[in-house]
Amino acid sequence: MGTGVRRRMGVEERRQQLIKVALDLFSRRSPDEVSIDEIASAAGISRPLVYHYFPGKMSLYEAALTRAAEDLAGRFEEPHEGPLGARLLRVMGRFFDFVDEHGPGFSALMRGGPAVGSSATNALVDSVRQASYEQILSHLGITEAPARLELVVRSWISLVESTALIWLEGRRVPREELERQLVHDFAALAAISAAYDPEMAAVVRTFVQNEPGDGPFAELATRLISLAS
Amino acid sequence: MGTGVRRRMGVEERRQQLIKVALDLFSRRSPDEVSIDEIASAAGISRPLVYHYFPGKMSLYEAALTRAAEDLAGRFEEPHEGPLGARLLRVMGRFFDFVDEHGPGFSALMRGGPAVGSSATNALVDSVRQASYEQILSHLGITEAPARLELVVRSWISLVESTALIWLEGRRVPREELERQLVHDFAALAAISAAYDPEMAAVVRTFVQNEPGDGPFAELATRLISLAS
């Protein structure tokens, strides 16, 4: 902009701009590799001015991560309409959009490298897990989850995370296939648990009843039968 | 032992004793909560003498963890005989034995608290994951895994980890049920991936052919069919 006069931003506006710039940088490379100098330069301000708004890289990283966590938790929100399989599939689509946008930063955070992990970042990751867990329970119409259902939903969330992390390593399987597969996996984990427990069987029956004949659960059963024969 | 003369241990013997004592303490409580004083006292030696063998708590923790990692990796070793489902079930039994023995330490490590995570500990955890991954591939008779098979096996290993971590929180589901369930889960994840890919279908068909009619895969299919009807 040459010698043009730069518009002065207000404090909160500047903070929000820095968070946005930092999140973008922290998403595209491992956070260890991003310097305050780089953030300052990308925001078009001096390094001391960055420190005026954030005491250090860690506090800026945590602010960026908080924004990303809110964004991610929001992607698990889905209207309570239509078959559960189709809802989960839309959620998986938005989840993989997020993973796609924030790939290197997501990997670095979830793999918990030494410069990345802290109690604050761990708490943020757990808050997103908890929010997605509660979302899924609400779609199942359940408020107090029995132990087996809690285990199925939480272990499935971890399966979703690890599948995304492995996918990011080389993107060797189309993400649409994985999104669909993870919905099938949810049905399978629930059904397997239901095979041992009447309470889980009731949960599974309720959601299966509302699934169309061409939904993920029916499709899974058909494909398994054709594989076995 | 009163004033009796304590036998002097050799350097390597003493190191091994300290590792054993430390692993026991680090297993029963979160490593953050275990002090060098406590380790010294449990080993029956002075605090300075501990530092003679290990420069600090982190190095003793890493040595203890290395031993635990070797132990755990060994539990994934299983003779290449009999149906795959039964082999996996024995492996799951030994894995849950390990988790049971090292509960609090296992949780602290895998949840990656700030005092626990380091590049060295992360590398150890990854080495166990890699060893168990290679074990499973060898049981499938495969050396170069196609992308989908790699994804199924590695994401299943992460499912096993998260299931164990959730189980440890309150042990509200019998572990024998979870061991069996995880074997079913493996078959289900493989079969679901096989539904999308001829290469995976060939892998699944090979192992299904060698399964008895009452093995985990057949049982899973039967249970799913009865649930759906």
Side-chain angles (χ1 to χ4, degrees):
Chain A
M1 298 287 168
T3 56
V5 175
R6 202 183 290 276
R7 185 175 68 82
R8 295 270 310 258
M9 286 188 185
V11 172
E12 194 45 35
E13 194 185 358
R14 177 64 83 191
R15 272 183 61 90
Q16 294 305 322
Q17 181 223 11
L18 277 169
I19 292 172
K20 188 171 178 298
V21 163
L23 179 56
D24 185 48
L25 288 167
F26 288 138
S27 296
R28 286 191 278 118
R29 295 208 310 283
S30 171
D32 314 25
E33 296 163 11
V34 177
S35 68
I36 286 281
D37 281 328
E38 215 173 338
I39 295 167
S41 153
I45 64 176
S46 69
R47 179 187 165 92
L49 198 53
V50 175
Y51 284 109
H52 178 73
Y53 294 98
F54 292 93
K57 193 171 97 170
M58 197 61 197
S59 98
L60 191 43
Y61 178 63
E62 283 172 12
L65 208 58
T66 303
R67 177 171 295 181
E70 286 162 4
D71 173 7
L72 180 53
R75 298 187 192 214
F76 278 83
E77 286 168 23
E78 168 71 28
H80 287 224
E81 284 158 23
L84 188 69
R87 296 184 212 171
L88 268 184
L89 191 57
R90 285 190 292 270
V91 168
M92 287 299 94
R94 291 195 297 268
F95 171 74
F96 270 86
D97 285 343
F98 178 93
V99 169
D100 213 354
E101 287 159 30
H102 301 279
F106 180 79
S107 288
L109 174 67
M110 303 304 286
R111 298 210 181 277
V116 174
S118 77
S119 333
T121 59
N122 280 344
L124 268 171
V125 171
D126 280 340
S127 76
V128 175
R129 287 183 182 136
Q130 185 62 24
S132 52
Y133 170 70
E134 286 166 10
Q135 276 296 324
I136 290 165
L137 283 195
S138 81
H139 283 278
L140 293 169
I142 284 166
T143 39
E144 286 287 309
R148 284 172 182 81
L149 181 60
E150 181 185 337
L151 212 144
V152 162
V153 176
R154 288 176 60 197
S155 64
W156 177 75
I157 290 168
S158 120
L159 185 72
V160 171
E161 286 173 19
S162 58
T163 300
L165 283 170
I166 298 167
W167 174 71
L168 277 175
E169 286 175 20
R171 306 188 183 211
R172 293 185 294 148
V173 180
R175 52 171 271 198
E176 294 72 21
E177 181 178 322
L178 296 180
E179 292 163 15
R180 193 150 198 89
Q181 201 170 302
L182 284 163
V183 177
H184 288 315
D185 291 344
F186 180 80
L189 299 188
I192 289 167
S193 178
Y196 294 91
D197 181 62
E199 202 172 17
M200 270 303 292
V203 172
V204 169
R205 279 211 189 82
T206 307
F207 90 70
V208 169
Q209 272 163 12
N210 300 318
E211 288 299 293
D214 57 350
F217 190 83
E219 191 186 340
L220 169 68
T222 313
R223 284 174 191 252
L224 282 175
I225 291 163
S226 78
L227 259 175
S229 63
Chain B
M1 299 290 166
T3 55
V5 175
R6 200 184 292 275
R7 186 174 69 82
R8 295 272 308 262
M9 287 187 185
V11 171
E12 194 46 36
E13 194 185 356
R14 178 63 82 191
R15 272 184 61 89
Q16 294 305 323
Q17 181 224 11
L18 277 169
I19 291 173
K20 188 169 178 302
V21 163
L23 179 56
D24 185 47
L25 288 167
F26 287 138
S27 296
R28 286 191 278 119
R29 296 208 311 283
S30 170
D32 313 25
E33 296 164 11
V34 177
S35 68
I36 286 282
D37 281 329
E38 215 174 337
I39 295 167
S41 155
I45 62 176
S46 69
R47 180 187 163 93
L49 197 53
V50 175
Y51 284 109
H52 179 71
Y53 294 98
F54 293 94
K57 193 170 98 171
M58 198 61 197
S59 95
L60 190 43
Y61 178 62
E62 283 173 12
L65 208 59
T66 304
R67 178 171 295 180
E70 287 162 3
D71 173 6
L72 180 53
R75 297 185 193 215
F76 278 83
E77 286 169 24
E78 168 70 27
H80 287 224
E81 283 159 25
L84 187 69
R87 296 183 212 171
L88 268 185
L89 191 57
R90 284 191 292 271
V91 168
M92 286 299 95
R94 291 194 297 267
F95 172 74
F96 271 86
D97 284 344
F98 179 92
V99 169
D100 214 355
E101 287 159 30
H102 301 279
F106 180 78
S107 289
L109 173 67
M110 304 304 287
R111 297 209 182 278
V116 173
S118 76
S119 335
T121 58
N122 280 344
L124 268 172
V125 171
D126 280 340
S127 76
V128 175
R129 286 183 182 137
Q130 184 62 24
S132 51
Y133 170 69
E134 286 166 9
Q135 276 296 324
I136 289 165
L137 283 195
S138 81
H139 282 278
L140 293 168
I142 285 165
T143 39
E144 285 288 310
R148 284 171 182 81
L149 181 61
E150 181 184 339
L151 212 143
V152 162
V153 176
R154 288 177 60 197
S155 63
W156 177 75
I157 290 168
S158 121
L159 185 72
V160 171
E161 285 172 18
S162 57
T163 301
L165 284 169
I166 299 166
W167 174 71
L168 277 175
E169 286 174 19
R171 304 189 185 212
R172 294 185 293 145
V173 180
R175 53 171 271 199
E176 293 72 20
E177 181 178 322
L178 296 180
E179 292 163 15
R180 194 151 195 89
Q181 201 168 302
L182 284 163
V183 176
H184 288 314
D185 292 344
F186 180 80
L189 299 187
I192 289 166
S193 177
Y196 295 91
D197 181 63
E199 202 172 17
M200 271 302 292
V203 172
V204 169
R205 280 213 186 80
T206 307
F207 90 71
V208 169
Q209 272 163 11
N210 299 319
E211 289 296 295
D214 57 350
F217 190 83
E219 192 187 340
L220 170 68
T222 314
R223 284 174 191 249
L224 281 175
I225 292 163
S226 78
L227 259 174
S229 64

